Amino acid sequence: MPAKRVVAPSLNPDSKPKGPASYFPSIEKTYGRPIQEWLDVAVAGLTAGETHMAVVSELKSAHGMGHGHANAIVAYAKAELAK
């Protein structure tokens, strides 16, 4: 069975994204890595059975991410995996 993957949304610079994706431009600017990399980290944890907050904690402790940014990534990944 192929691994699940959540693809980063393409954000239109002319419109303001809503929900967790509204954090994505700031996350890329702040941490210097594309959203796809962060989503891959979150999906790996979620599909391995880690809880939402465990993945948030991993992003915070291992990558120095702020709580709001980490939570937005995990919330987006979790919602996309549920589809």
Side-chain angles (χ1 to χ4, degrees), residues 3-6 38-48 55 77-78 81:
K4 293 182 180 181
R5 185 152 201 240
V6 171
W38 298 118
L39 289 172
D40 291 344
V41 169
V43 169
L46 292 169
T47 58
V55 179
K78 195 171 178 181
L81 287 172

Side-chain angles (χ1 to χ4, degrees), residues 34-75:
I35 287 299
Q36 188 62 59
E37 288 183 25
W38 298 118
L39 289 172
D40 291 344
V41 169
V43 169
L46 292 169
T47 58
E50 293 180 33
T51 65
H52 178 108
M53 288 310 298
V55 179
V56 169
S57 293
E58 177 187 348
L59 288 169
K60 290 169 60 176
S61 64
H63 301 285
M65 192 170 279
H67 181 81
H69 286 164
N71 192 57
I73 289 169
V74 177

Side-chain angles (χ1 to χ4, degrees), residues 22-35:
S22 66
Y23 287 87
F24 291 177
S26 175
I27 292 169
E28 286 184 335
K29 183 178 179 184
T30 302
Y31 305 104
R33 292 170 61 185
I35 287 299

